[in-house]
Amino acid sequence: MSASFNFSGKVVLITGSSAGIGAATAVQFSRAGAQVVVTGRRADKVSEVAKECLKVSPNGSKALEVVADVTKVDDLRRLVDTTIKHFGKLHVLVNNAGAGSAIGIDNKDYYSTYLKTMQLNTNSVVYLTHICVEHLEKTKGNVINISSGAALQSGEGVSSYHVSKAAMDMFTKCMAAELGPKHIRVNVINPGPIRTEILNAAGLPQDKIDKHYDYFSNVLPLGRVGDPDDIADSILYLASDHAAFVTGTNLISDGGAIAANAINGRTLREMLQ
Ligand code: NDP
């Protein structure tokens, strides 16, 4: 896992790094020598991940811990200010924090859920990128957005999530075009089903969660759902100089789900609602 990457001297900020894909990414960057910023709303989880990062860091780099809610612009400003104050620079921004939402258009709470989903999955990414550009320009850095296979196909009863991720994909392309002349690369990853806390965070009961992962283990061409490290591997590649000519691209890391048309919107609705 990522042994060939060397991020010594690089500062990497990963949102949503207190759990799941973000936590695995923080640990992998640390193992590759980076100085990482671990952030999320849960202070105890942030500290746990920071400890893991220190354990694997080849140069004893201590992670910066910042407890912040990405839906709050003041928190995002504090996150960036604290990072720059502490490390003096920023090379890689991973916009990973996010959550699912499953609600039909005819539900009375649909619109408020839609607004919340856009604030978390999309608006926070736009604002954080906006305030990081000046720092990334100085380091010729890059941005990696964590979208979803949901951005690439429709889904019944999950439109707010799909729309929030599709917007992220288009934001990525626009930013790649606009920031290329500043030597900032911007890419997006579309993960398929990955075993994390995402369904627990969405309030699903454990039996439905188990059913969800069992179903995907059966229908995905590679015969398994993904692990957070699968996505972290892709993130480190895109952040590295091995991807120096790659910008504005979608890296689909999904066990073949999209290729095999394996995710059926109606089945998802039945499983998630
Ligand atoms: P997890 O629920 O395991 O982790 C989500 C992370 O986001 C946590 O660190 C959580 O930290 C953080 N987070 C959530 N809300 C906020 C907030 N308001 N402010 C700050 N941090 C927040 O999910 P995953 O690791 O699975 O998800 C990571 C990304 O991957 C998401 O964007 C998701 O949409 C995407 N993805 C996941 C897939 C999957 O199958 N797992 C598939 C496709 C895409 P805390 O609770 O401490 O705030």
Side-chain angles (χ1 to χ4, degrees):
M1 275 186 302
S2 308
S4 62
F5 293 116
N6 182 358
F7 285 95
S8 294
K10 306 284 185 192
V11 177
V12 183
L13 164 54
I14 308 124
T15 66
S17 40
S18 55
I21 292 168
T25 303
V27 172
Q28 283 209 28
F29 269 116
S30 296
R31 190 178 290 123
Q35 294 168 296
V36 301
V37 184
V38 178
T39 182
R41 291 164 302 175
R42 291 170 293 172
D44 55 335
K45 296 282 175 189
V46 167
S47 289
E48 266 174 40
V49 176
K51 277 193 195 99
E52 279 305 303
C53 289
L54 182 58
K55 260 191 229 162
V56 299
S57 170
N59 42 30
S61 281
K62 207 167 176 302
L64 173 64
E65 300 174 36
V66 183
V67 176
D69 182 336
V70 297
T71 64
K72 298 182 176 155
V73 291
D74 288 349
D75 280 22
L76 289 174
R77 268 193 235 112
R78 180 171 50 79
L79 176 60
V80 176
D81 290 349
T82 313
T83 300
I84 297 302
K85 203 168 159 198
H86 189 80
F87 289 125
K89 54 196 172 175
L90 177 67
H91 296 87
V92 181
L93 168 64
V94 183
N95 283 311
N96 165 76
S101 61
I103 187 165
I105 190 79
D106 51 359
N107 188 300
K108 68 176 175 38
D109 295 326
Y110 177 82
Y111 190 60
S112 59
T113 303
Y114 168 82
L115 290 178
K116 271 190 206 148
T117 306
M118 293 302 284
Q119 186 62 28
L120 172 58
N121 290 354
T122 313
N123 299 357
S124 71
V125 172
V126 171
Y127 187 72
L128 189 56
T129 305
H130 166 61
I131 60 175
C132 283
V133 164
E134 61 174 302
H135 305 295
L136 294 168
E137 187 175 3
K138 288 181 193 147
T139 57
K140 297 186 170 61
N142 68 81
V143 180
I144 294 136
N145 294 324
I146 308 307
S147 174
S148 169
L152 305 172
Q153 59 169 131
S154 63
E156 293 178 34
V158 276
S159 60
S160 53
Y161 184 70
H162 284 236
V163 169
S164 72
K165 294 300 190 177
M168 184 188 242
D169 283 19
M170 182 48 74
F171 182 65
T172 303
K173 285 189 173 56
C174 292
M175 288 305 104
E178 189 169 332
L179 298 177
K182 293 184 189 292
H183 304 284
I184 301 171
R185 295 185 297 108
V186 188
N187 290 294
V188 60
I189 297 178
N190 302 85
I194 309 296
R195 211 179 285 272
T196 66
E197 292 176 9
I198 195 166
L199 298 177
N200 308 78
L204 254 72
Q206 195 57 46
D207 59 326
K208 279 198 175 185
I209 295 174
D210 294 342
K211 204 170 148 197
H212 176 88
Y213 288 126
D214 286 350
Y215 169 78
F216 281 114
S217 301
N218 287 322
V219 297
L220 295 185
L222 290 185
R224 66 173 178 92
V225 296
D227 290 321
D229 277 322
D230 288 315
I231 305 306
D233 283 334
S234 298
I235 293 171
L236 266 76
Y237 160 67
L238 285 175
S240 76
D241 289 344
H242 295 287
F245 200 52
V246 180
T247 195
T249 207
N250 290 68
L251 197 165
I252 302 173
S253 179
D254 70 348
I258 297 286
N261 207 13
I263 302 180
N264 177 289
R266 184 154 295 173
T267 313
L268 265 187
R269 179 179 199 161
E270 281 158 13
M271 281 194 299
L272 295 177
Q273 289 191 340

